[in-house]
Amino acid sequence: MPYLGLEEPPLGHLQASLDNFIPHAQQFGFFLHVSTFRASALLAFQSGHPSRPTPGLLSVVHLLGVHFSQPEAANNQEPSLLSRAVQHVATDLLSSHPNKVIHTLQAEVLLAYYFLRTGMLLEAKYRVGTAVSLTLGAGLHKIRSANITTPSTIGIIHDQPFALPLPQDGLQEAERINGFWTVLMLHKFITVALESPAHVCGALEAPGMQIDTPWPIDMDRFEEGILRPDLQGNSTVRAFLNGYLSDNVHGDSYFALASKAAILFHRAAHLTGQWSPTMTHRDQLAYDAAARSVNVLIESFRANLAPIPRYNATHDPNIRSIILTHALVDAASIKLHWIFAYALSTSKEICLSAARNMVDYGDLNLQDLGYMNPIMGNLWMTACLVFIDEISRTRQLRSSWSEAPVVEDSLLESYRNGLKAMSLFSQESNLMRYQLTKVQEAFEAI
């Protein structure tokens, strides 16, 4: 690459990267206002200019743009681009850039999703940890808090305590709100995907941790003035888990619905990790009460979701968020009930129904949607394993259950639908390819 020695790629290369990246930005945790970001990225100022994004963020976006460009030659460019991006992100907080905190946070999120997608899981986990620390240090969990809070200090820079300055306008504040929820979702995804069930928790669920930041907004609606001046937040997540499904303050935006679904997904996985067949009677009662509460919340939330559009929906920019939200809710049901599926027929049916929902898209052509959030591989794998588990059980009962072949045909069809979705997106994702292989191995073992 002739421009590797330069500070950044030529304008034409950067513009092409932006064009490749932006259609998929939302699925990889991009929370900034897209058109504002694009315009500032293409300004004719040198790298690091305060009117442009930080060098680290621009480098990461360029990396992802090349990654999404498809040609085989891009694979040879990515290691060098990744190395440059990581170096810039590591030093941006030491600069005097006015947006260095939020832009570094955005860059860390994008890197985490990139590492997750390419199968570098330890690197992804590290980036998520950095993003969580930066988020809490900047006080993004206390934006517009109704409670009196002490201003957060991110850290010591140049021997002086550094705090995030007040937002200059409503757009900056909206980006910070969305930045917090982006990190929360990513944290929950990575925790469930990479930790054992008994360790599904984390900094954002620590005792005494209270999130007051209002629910996120859809950036394409920001111009409608939906971020009201009098809006305040108070125990946002706790209120949701206590049954307040909607606060009627952009709590039903596509982004907010996906955030709530991620919270339910994580909560169900966390609860499952707490269950043990040897728990005391008192602990069993406490677990049963918590599980019933989460189950009621999942079902109520699902009942209020609009269905996934089945036809000609590819022109809808939010269709991928809708699919993700539904899949997270269904996966939450499976996480909550799967450990009881052998003993309780109701739990088994709940798991099967949720798994079928996750692989049934009607006539919707997934191939036309572009790249999906990398966590979708984990969700589809969960659904496929439910089908494999039930096919195995059906075969064991075949000798005494005359209808078993018919039941198995239905299960096989659902399994193949899930396999088809994973196969489609595994072509460019190392993580999805690995998950597809594990599903196929599980099926071959029955």
Side-chain angles (χ1 to χ4, degrees):
M1 296 178 65
Y3 60 84
L4 272 181
L6 303 178
E7 191 67 24
E8 65 175 318
L11 185 63
H13 288 269
L14 180 58
Q15 193 164 0
S17 289
L18 287 168
D19 291 341
N20 288 330
F21 167 72
I22 285 173
H24 316 292
Q26 187 181 4
Q27 301 308 306
F28 289 80
F30 193 79
F31 56 79
L32 301 177
H33 191 258
V34 170
S35 58
T36 302
F37 171 80
R38 191 181 191 281
S40 64
L42 297 175
L43 289 174
F45 296 123
Q46 65 182 9
S47 176
H49 189 279
S51 296
R52 299 187 70 206
T54 59
L57 178 53
L58 272 180
S59 298
V60 176
V61 168
H62 179 51
L63 165 68
L64 283 165
V66 171
H67 178 71
F68 293 143
S69 65
Q70 290 288 349
E72 291 75 10
N75 295 330
N76 299 324
Q77 302 174 20
E78 285 187 37
S80 298
L81 295 176
L82 175 59
S83 177
R84 166 179 287 174
V86 168
Q87 290 173 10
H88 278 311
V89 172
T91 57
D92 276 350
L93 283 178
L94 300 175
S95 73
S96 59
H97 196 286
N99 298 314
K100 60 186 179 183
V101 174
I102 298 303
H103 285 193
T104 298
L105 180 63
Q106 178 66 91
E108 293 285 6
V109 168
L110 293 175
L111 278 175
Y113 273 112
Y114 173 81
F115 284 133
L116 189 60
R117 175 177 164 80
T118 53
M120 292 185 274
L121 303 183
L122 287 178
E123 290 88 342
K125 191 174 179 180
Y126 171 78
R127 294 293 162 181
V128 173
T130 302
V132 168
S133 297
L134 195 54
T135 297
L136 297 180
L140 298 188
H141 60 305
K142 294 293 183 182
I143 297 174
R144 297 212 179 192
S145 174
N147 304 295
I148 298 174
T149 57
T150 305
S152 295
T153 299
I154 294 173
I156 305 297
I157 298 178
H158 300 312
D159 297 324
Q160 295 294 324
F162 177 79
L164 188 66
L166 293 173
Q168 294 181 348
D169 51 36
L171 180 59
Q172 260 195 9
E173 189 175 31
E175 289 178 335
R176 294 181 184 186
I177 290 172
N178 283 13
F180 170 75
W181 292 105
T182 297
V183 172
L184 180 135
M185 286 182 66
L186 175 58
H187 172 256
K188 294 189 179 301
F189 292 162
I190 211 88
T191 305
V192 177
L194 301 186
E195 299 289 353
S196 64
H199 295 94
V200 175
C201 202
L204 291 172
E205 290 77 33
M209 177 72 186
Q210 180 171 311
I211 295 166
D212 291 336
T213 300
W215 293 111
I217 69 171
D218 296 325
M219 273 298 184
D220 56 358
R221 294 186 58 208
F222 172 77
E223 288 77 6
E224 299 175 20
I226 57 176
L227 194 60
R228 292 202 324 256
D230 61 339
L231 173 65
Q232 285 189 309
N234 187 4
S235 299
T236 313
V237 173
R238 188 180 303 166
F240 171 66
L241 291 174
N242 285 337
Y244 296 95
L245 296 182
S246 176
D247 54 10
N248 295 318
V249 183
H250 55 77
D252 292 329
S253 69
Y254 290 112
F255 193 171
L257 290 173
S259 300
K260 293 175 180 179
I263 290 167
L264 293 176
F265 173 62
H266 179 274
R267 182 65 175 159
H270 171 69
L271 262 180
T272 298
Q274 306 310 301
W275 185 83
S276 167
T278 59
M279 61 178 23
T280 65
H281 179 66
R282 182 178 179 180
D283 288 342
Q284 181 70 55
L285 290 176
Y287 176 87
D288 290 345
R292 279 195 301 270
S293 174
V294 173
N295 188 63
V296 167
L297 194 56
I298 291 171
E299 295 304 321
S300 300
F301 185 77
R302 180 190 283 113
N304 289 311
L305 279 180
I308 298 174
R310 301 286 171 160
Y311 308 99
N312 301 322
T314 53
H315 67 281
D316 185 348
N318 295 301
I319 183 64
R320 288 177 289 182
S321 290
I322 296 170
I323 290 173
L324 174 64
T325 299
H326 277 264
L328 285 168
V329 175
D330 289 321
S333 286
I334 294 172
K335 292 285 184 185
L336 194 63
H337 288 275
W338 199 0
I339 54 175
F340 305 112
Y342 271 96
L344 301 174
S345 59
T346 52
S347 289
K348 183 186 76 171
E349 290 305 319
I350 288 172
C351 289
L352 285 171
S353 176
R356 290 190 185 101
N357 290 341
M358 292 168 69
V359 299
D360 177 18
Y361 297 105
D363 290 340
L364 189 63
N365 188 352
L366 293 178
Q367 194 164 11
D368 293 338
L369 297 180
Y371 298 106
M372 300 290 287
N373 188 301
I375 196 63
M376 284 300 299
N378 185 276
L379 305 181
W380 281 324
M381 181 171 69
T382 298
C384 287
L385 292 177
V386 169
F387 300 132
I388 292 171
D389 198 42
E390 187 61 17
I391 290 169
S392 174
R393 184 164 21 190
T394 300
R395 289 178 178 177
Q396 293 172 13
L397 297 171
R398 177 173 291 171
S399 60
S400 58
W401 190 8
S402 60
E403 295 183 8
V406 178
V407 174
E408 183 174 326
D409 286 345
S410 174
L411 292 168
L412 281 170
E413 181 181 1
S414 295
Y415 165 73
R416 292 187 186 110
N417 286 340
L419 210 63
K420 180 181 177 182
M422 295 186 73
S423 299
L424 180 64
F425 292 98
S426 69
Q427 297 172 21
E428 300 92 16
S429 170
N430 292 342
L431 177 63
M432 191 88 76
R433 197 175 305 124
Y434 169 78
Q435 291 164 331
L436 176 64
T437 300
K438 300 304 289 184
V439 167
Q440 291 170 325
E441 289 175 353
F443 183 78
E444 291 168 1
I446 64 174

